[in-house]
Structure formats: C-alpha cells, structure tokens
Amino acid sequence: MRAVIPTTDGLVLLGEAPEPDPAAEEVLVAVEAYSVNRGETFQLDGHLDRRWAGWRPGKDVAGTVVRAAADGTGPAAGTRVVAHPPAYGWAERVAVPVHSIAELPDSIDAVTAAALPLAGITALRLLRAAGPVAGRRLLITGASGGVGHYVTELAASSGAAVTAVSATPERGARLLDLGASAVVTSTDEVRGPYDIVLESVGGDSMPAALARLAPGGLLVWFGQASRTPVTLDFFDFFKGPAQARIAHFDYTRADTTYADDLTTLVRLVAGGRLHPEIGSVRDWSRTGEVIADIRGRRVRGNAVLTVG
C-alpha cells in the first residue's frame, strides 16, 4: 500500500509500506483524511523519540472500517470512524485498537474529524487536570494551535474567564470568537492573578506565567513548543504566589480511554458546542509542504491531508 515514509533528514516521501497486520483487538481502517501535529514534526526532525524501529507518523485519522476486530469488539466493517492510533496513520490503511476509535455521525465529515484526536483529547484531559473551571481565571500560553483553540472554547463554555496568549494577533483573533475574555501576544501583557495557568511554550514563558498565579494556584505544564529549556529559581517562589503548584502533564495518562474521549469530542462537534479550526486542507501528496508550513508557523489551527 502507499504510505508517507520518513527520511533520515527530517523530510517525508510518498512510497510503499507493508499492509497492516491487525491484532485481534484492532480494526483495519481505510484512511480518508489525517491531521499533522507539531509534535510529529518534532519526531521527524529527531527532537522527540520515535520509540521504535520502522516508525512512521500518523496519530490522527478518519476513515471507514474495512475489517472488524477479530475478537468481535469495536465497530463493524463499513462504519465511519475517527481514530487515534499510536502511529502509522499517514497511509492508505492503518490498524487501530478498538479502545482508540469512535464512530462518526453523517453530520461530521472526515476532514473535520481528522482534526479532533490529539489536540481534542489533550484539551479534554488538560481541563480535567486543572479541575473545575467555572468562575475561575485561566491563562493559556501558546494558544493559537489546535489544543489552544479547543481549551479556550471548552473552558469558556464551562464558565472560565480565559486569557489566551498568542504570539501574533492574527493567529489569535479567532480565540475571542470562541469565548476568550482577552487575547494578548505575550505573558508580559497580563498581570493576573490567575487561578489556573496552562503552559506549553517553555523558555522565559514558564517563569513569567508562574508569576501570574494567584496564591494556591495551579500551573499545568504540558509542552515546550519553543524548544527552549526552562530555568526556575526556587527562591522566586518566595516573591511570587504563596503555595503555588506545578503539575507535569502527559496526555497519554488518564482514567478514560481514547475511545471515550473521542466519543465526547464527536458529540460536542455534532451538537455545535465545539468548532475545529481547519487551517489547511491539501492532498496527501503535499504532506512535506504542509510539514514545512507547520514548522514555519504558517498554519493556524489544524492541517489536514486527504488520502486520494
């Protein structure tokens, strides 16, 4: 079958790959669309562990089940689905565990669905890690990407007063439409205090965001998109918020399955309560071009490729 193959120089090419061999608890999905995440570009250029030999990217896919799971669980053949496989999704077909897949209604097309898994699951689990947000002041950095859009809309609709930090105003403008109380270009523009900070930039952003916490506030650290290490001075805590807490976040650790969270995301989109932003839709032959645009921060929201 055809698949997107990573090269040794951080690029990709459209080539041939072996057909998937699904385990008993996996379904085989014919991929119609997939999304490219910034984290996958980090894996391609060697900044994140690829985890296993023969790795190919692809964690966000939508398509149709062409072979049901051998153990009798999961959706039947012919079911339209959105899925979050561990890898290999940038291909004509992919094997997906039944605990990582959700059925799609006719009202949600494959392009919209493909933008949901990683960013949407991360947003749901971030807000669970933050605890109840109704009536609370929430600051999110690096908010112009897919996760930031979902967090802003979900938190605002739950009653939070959301301040979103987006490096450029044009990339963050839509966040106001999604319910943000304010959108700024730098953490230096806000004073706080905030009950909750969701930090994903790293570098100088982390200590600056930490200083904006209210006493007893919580900072959830979920990324380092700048690739710049964070330096924290313990004694700065004495000058900042008393009893502030920092929590490391790993979206793969949760009490819910990916299937559970995908089902929630599908329900929210179908009900008009969550609105994915699709910044780019192109044929999968242009995957390399899309990756370059993501690295250059030229895509707002999600980038989706359609498999022809």
Side-chain angles (χ1 to χ4, degrees), residues 103-108 112 116 263-276:
E103 296 187 21
L104 285 174
D106 291 340
S107 60
I108 301 180
T112 300
L116 288 174
T263 299
T264 297
L265 293 166
V266 167
R267 174 173 53 82
L268 290 170
V269 173
R273 297 173 59 192
L274 189 66
H275 301 84

Side-chain angles (χ1 to χ4, degrees), residues 236-294:
D236 284 343
F237 278 88
F238 291 106
K239 297 179 288 185
Q243 300 300 309
R245 295 171 293 145
I246 299 175
H248 176 261
F249 175 81
D250 178 351
Y251 95 100
T252 67
R253 306 300 177 95
D255 295 331
T256 54
T257 66
Y258 293 145
D260 293 334
D261 288 339
L262 287 170
T263 299
T264 297
L265 293 166
V266 167
R267 174 173 53 82
L268 290 170
V269 173
R273 297 173 59 192
L274 189 66
H275 301 84
E277 181 176 28
I278 313 296
S280 173
V281 180
R282 299 177 227 183
D283 183 80
W284 71 321
S285 62
R286 301 172 66 186
T287 300
E289 174 186 304
V290 169
I291 290 170
D293 285 345
I294 290 174

Side-chain angles (χ1 to χ4, degrees), residues 21-303:
D21 182 19
E25 71 284 359
E26 294 180 327
V27 299
L28 184 65
V29 175
V31 179
E32 297 171 23
Y34 59 80
S35 180
V36 177
N37 295 292
R38 188 164 179 81
E40 287 165 320
T41 70
F42 290 174
Q43 287 178 291
L44 286 168
D45 61 21
H47 286 269
L48 290 179
D49 182 15
R50 295 185 182 184
R51 298 195 179 190
W52 54 81
W55 172 87
R56 288 187 282 108
K59 296 173 70 69
D60 289 5
V61 305
T64 301
V65 175
V66 293
R67 188 191 308 166
D71 67 359
T73 61
T79 305
R80 297 181 61 248
V81 295
V82 58
H84 189 51
Y88 304 113
W90 299 358
E92 290 182 306
R93 288 170 290 281
V94 62
V96 184
V98 296
H99 57 70
S100 299
I101 200 163
E103 296 187 21
L104 285 174
D106 291 340
S107 60
I108 301 180
D109 59 53
V111 168
T112 300
L116 288 174
L118 180 58
I121 292 169
T122 300
L124 283 178
R125 295 182 174 185
L126 266 174
L127 289 172
R128 291 191 193 117
V133 298
R136 306 188 79 187
R137 297 156 296 181
L138 184 149
L139 175 70
I140 178 168
T141 65
S144 59
V147 173
H149 280 79
Y150 290 141
V151 165
T152 297
E153 186 167 19
L154 291 170
S157 66
S158 297
V162 180
T163 298
V165 182
S166 177
T168 54
E170 61 272 17
R171 287 174 62 86
R174 185 172 183 259
L175 296 166
L176 293 172
D177 296 332
L178 296 177
S181 301
V183 178
V184 297
T185 59
S186 169
T187 310
D188 293 336
E189 297 177 40
V190 298
R191 297 182 61 185
Y194 295 94
D195 304 298
I196 301 164
V197 171
L198 306 179
E199 157 59 17
S200 66
V201 177
D204 294 337
S205 176
M206 171 78 159
L210 183 64
R212 271 64 175 180
L213 273 178
L218 171 67
L219 183 146
V220 182
W221 187 5
F222 72 100
Q224 192 164 294
S226 68
R227 306 192 199 182
T228 303
V230 171
T231 299
L232 294 177
D233 186 337
F234 174 81
F235 295 101
D236 284 343
F237 278 88
F238 291 106
K239 297 179 288 185
Q243 300 300 309
R245 295 171 293 145
I246 299 175
H248 176 261
F249 175 81
D250 178 351
Y251 95 100
T252 67
R253 306 300 177 95
D255 295 331
T256 54
T257 66
Y258 293 145
D260 293 334
D261 288 339
L262 287 170
T263 299
T264 297
L265 293 166
V266 167
R267 174 173 53 82
L268 290 170
V269 173
R273 297 173 59 192
L274 189 66
H275 301 84
E277 181 176 28
I278 313 296
S280 173
V281 180
R282 299 177 227 183
D283 183 80
W284 71 321
S285 62
R286 301 172 66 186
T287 300
E289 174 186 304
V290 169
I291 290 170
D293 285 345
I294 290 174
R295 285 170 171 158
R297 297 187 176 276
R298 293 186 291 273
V299 178
R300 187 177 67 185
N302 293 88

